Amino acid sequence: MLAADFTYDAVAGLLGAEAHAALSRNETTPALGRTTDGSPLATLVRLFLLQQPVPAVDAERALPGLVGRLAAEGMVAESAGEVAALLDCRPYGTDDPSAGSGTGDLWVVSDLTPALDGRPQQVTGDHVLGISPASTSLAQLTLREDVGSALDLGTGCGVQALHLAGHADRVVATDINPRALDLARFNAELNEVGDRVDVRDGSFFEPVAGERFDLIATNPPFVISPATGSRSDRLVYRDSGMPGDQVVEHVVRTAPQHLADGGWCQVLANWAIVGDRPWDERLAGWLPDDCDALVVQREVIDPSAYVELWLKDSGHHPAVGAGTIADYVARYDAWLSWLKDQGVTGIGFGWINLHRTGATGSAGSTSSARHRELVDWPYDVEQPIAPAIAEWAQARAAVVDPSSTLVVRPDVRQETVGPVGAEDPATILLRQQRGFRRARQVDTVVAAVVGACDGELPVGAILDAVAQLLGLDPAETSQRYLPEVVSLVGEAFLLPVQAD
């Protein structure tokens, strides 16, 4: 593959922006016209990514001495002078040169991409999903500091384990799907990290009973459904067999038992919004006592749209699968009726981050003062978001008092809004350009305090100076505005200056 330059960047360059974007939408026609020269790179793109048969002579040129062996192992099929792919082999680029074999270039083998060009979609219960928007989201969410041990819970094809192997001394990857386990092991060997990835068979945390990890990353089978039918009727990569969002609740409640002190569990998840009950109130009841938590709701969709999404994913919509209209309508009605019976008024999608800080919490705080933030944040964020998650933990652990010296985060900008020619702005906004890209409305006093935080004077002295400048009582100003300064630190608008 390296000899053919079958890498993410080279494939993107060969296809061009338009064809590459079309392929991400499962449309191959633009790419077919750009892969006709018979070169090894074009051949591998047509074979694995476009799922087109290629001449046997071209396949042998691209994979010298391997075609027969790959056919024997069930990765390709040979017939009538042509070779066709039975599995997908996809280049995957990362920004982390330590991932995989140490080049930043990875290859992920999985089952073929279903429904290319609108073809009838046949997805079996043991289908092994390849690189998906969900797996990419989890990779961007996961912290990348060096750790001793990491757990990829529900590994699937093993792409998260490949990422983790770049910064963990030891990785355990678990799954219950035998095909997924085989492909995860193969992908670890393919990317030269097989010695650091221990792939184990078993459900959820059962294969790691009694073990603790510095980092757990998981994209569990979180689809919210009635969980009816046999295991053979489920798509294991998305259906847990547990009704509703119990699978996510189980992971959140159980993970701290497998986290080392200071360890993180990061979960990509769906959750049910039930009746008029606020989503954050319900999820707060899941959060363990020995963890700080940052829960971010990124999107909410209504039950009918949710059912349509996943029926299309499984190939039960007549437009994408082999099912009948009557079968589709029956499945749709049963699923939607169950959601309504459960009182589900919406489904949230987002991130759950748990940081095990021990029984006394961060910075010696009691469990009742544990740092928990559950926020609805559908706005654009910087990706990868992982550095902002680490920054959140650091900010929440900071102790801020009048003697603290602070500095404005470099990417924070001040925006003012008001009538043209007015002496004072009607609105002052502080806006982050990076991370969560939070925005916060402040008054003139807070804006002046933030503007003076240059790492030289303690915040108490700055509050006194601003009060004197504006003709305010210094004691009242400090009492009123110090909590706002603490909040600005907690949201990383202001950063504590570390003592030498």
Side-chain angles (χ1 to χ4, degrees):
M1 290 187 290
L2 286 172
D5 202 14
F6 189 48
T7 62
Y8 180 89
D9 289 342
V11 169
L14 173 67
L15 297 183
E18 180 181 357
H20 197 245
L23 186 58
S24 71
R25 301 189 300 269
N26 284 357
E27 298 290 342
T28 69
T29 301
L32 288 171
R34 298 182 65 91
T35 54
T36 59
D37 63 5
S39 67
L41 176 57
T43 297
L44 294 179
V45 170
R46 291 177 75 89
L47 178 65
F48 290 120
L49 305 189
L50 309 186
Q51 297 180 18
Q52 295 290 317
V54 299
V57 63
D58 289 347
E60 188 61 40
R61 187 183 306 115
L63 299 164
L66 289 175
V67 174
R69 295 169 63 188
L70 292 174
E73 293 294 336
M75 189 166 182
V76 301
E78 297 178 282
S79 65
E82 290 186 326
V83 176
L86 299 178
L87 291 172
D88 186 299
C89 180
R90 190 165 298 257
Y92 180 54
T94 78
D95 294 329
D96 180 6
S98 65
S101 61
T103 64
D105 291 315
L106 304 174
W107 296 270
V108 178
V109 176
S110 65
D111 278 324
L112 294 174
T113 303
L116 277 183
D117 301 318
R119 303 169 196 164
Q121 179 176 345
Q122 301 291 337
V123 180
T124 59
D126 61 354
H127 181 85
V128 180
L129 194 66
I131 300 163
S132 68
S135 60
T136 301
S137 294
L138 180 58
Q140 293 171 325
L141 175 68
T142 304
L143 298 170
R144 295 301 173 200
E145 286 82 3
D146 290 342
V147 295
S149 60
L151 172 63
D152 176 11
L153 190 73
T155 190
C157 67
V159 64
Q160 305 303 329
L162 299 181
H163 279 285
L164 293 170
H167 60 100
D169 296 333
R170 179 177 67 92
V171 179
V172 176
T174 69
D175 210 291
I176 62 169
N177 182 355
R179 283 175 48 75
L181 295 168
D182 285 344
L183 288 175
R185 291 188 182 99
F186 182 83
N187 284 325
E189 294 292 345
L190 177 63
N191 291 282
E192 300 180 333
V193 294
D195 59 332
R196 298 202 301 279
V197 178
D198 178 8
V199 179
R200 302 182 190 176
D201 183 9
S203 179
F204 296 108
F205 294 99
E206 291 175 3
V208 293
E211 295 182 57
R212 291 184 180 269
F213 299 87
D214 300 308
L215 177 61
I216 299 172
T218 180
N219 174 18
F222 55 60
V223 172
I224 297 173
S225 69
T228 56
S230 64
R231 174 173 166 178
S232 61
D233 193 42
R234 303 196 320 261
L235 299 182
V236 178
Y237 72 85
R238 68 169 214 191
D239 302 316
S240 68
M242 302 170 71
D245 54 16
Q246 288 183 19
V247 61
V248 177
E249 181 180 0
H250 171 69
V251 169
V252 170
R253 291 185 181 276
T254 309
Q257 302 170 26
H258 297 277
L259 285 177
D261 289 341
W264 284 84
C265 175
Q266 299 184 275
V267 189
L268 198 71
N270 282 181
W271 46 78
I273 299 172
V274 181
D276 296 328
R277 187 180 183 186
W279 73 273
D280 52 344
E281 177 185 290
R282 182 166 177 267
L283 264 65
W286 299 356
L287 301 178
D289 291 336
D290 56 353
C291 290
D292 290 349
L294 174 60
V295 183
V296 182
Q297 182 166 267
R298 295 287 292 151
E299 182 182 11
V300 177
I301 64 176
D302 64 61
S304 58
Y306 190 77
V307 173
E308 293 161 16
L309 169 69
W310 293 112
L311 284 177
K312 289 178 181 177
D313 173 79
S314 61
H316 288 109
H317 194 292
V320 298
T324 65
I325 293 177
D327 177 62
Y328 172 73
V329 171
R331 290 175 181 271
Y332 193 141
D333 180 65
W335 197 338
L336 187 61
S337 296
W338 180 84
L339 289 172
K340 289 183 176 180
D341 289 344
Q342 301 300 309
V344 176
T345 55
I347 291 91
F349 172 85
W351 314 320
I352 300 175
N353 301 275
L354 304 176
H355 186 204
R356 189 173 188 274
T357 50
T360 57
S362 298
S365 64
T366 63
S367 59
S368 61
R370 185 160 308 288
H371 299 308
R372 291 181 174 177
E373 185 175 0
L374 295 92
V375 58
D376 199 359
W377 198 256
Y379 312 109
D380 183 47
V381 301
E382 181 187 28
Q383 294 290 5
I385 194 62
I389 304 297
E391 188 177 68
W392 173 87
Q394 294 167 359
R396 293 291 168 173
V399 177
V400 180
D401 58 32
S403 66
S404 301
T405 305
L406 307 174
V407 64
V408 183
R409 203 172 82 171
D411 65 297
V412 173
R413 299 291 181 268
Q414 178 177 301
E415 301 174 4
T416 58
V417 180
V420 175
E423 183 176 349
D424 296 314
T427 302
I428 304 175
L429 284 177
L430 301 179
R431 189 182 300 278
Q432 300 170 354
Q433 307 300 305
R434 306 197 65 183
F436 277 99
R437 295 176 174 148
R438 298 179 191 256
R440 180 169 178 142
Q441 185 172 339
V442 299
D443 64 13
T444 305
V445 175
V446 175
V449 171
V450 171
C453 286
D454 59 2
E456 296 294 330
L457 292 176
V459 68
I462 293 175
L463 284 166
D464 289 345
V466 170
Q468 184 177 9
L469 181 65
L470 298 177
L472 304 174
D473 179 80
E476 291 181 359
T477 301
S478 180
Q479 183 178 12
R480 176 180 174 184
Y481 285 101
L482 184 59
E484 286 211 40
V485 173
V486 172
S487 180
L488 286 166
V489 173
E491 293 184 352
F493 286 92
L494 294 172
L495 305 175
V497 175
Q498 301 298 323
D500 292 336

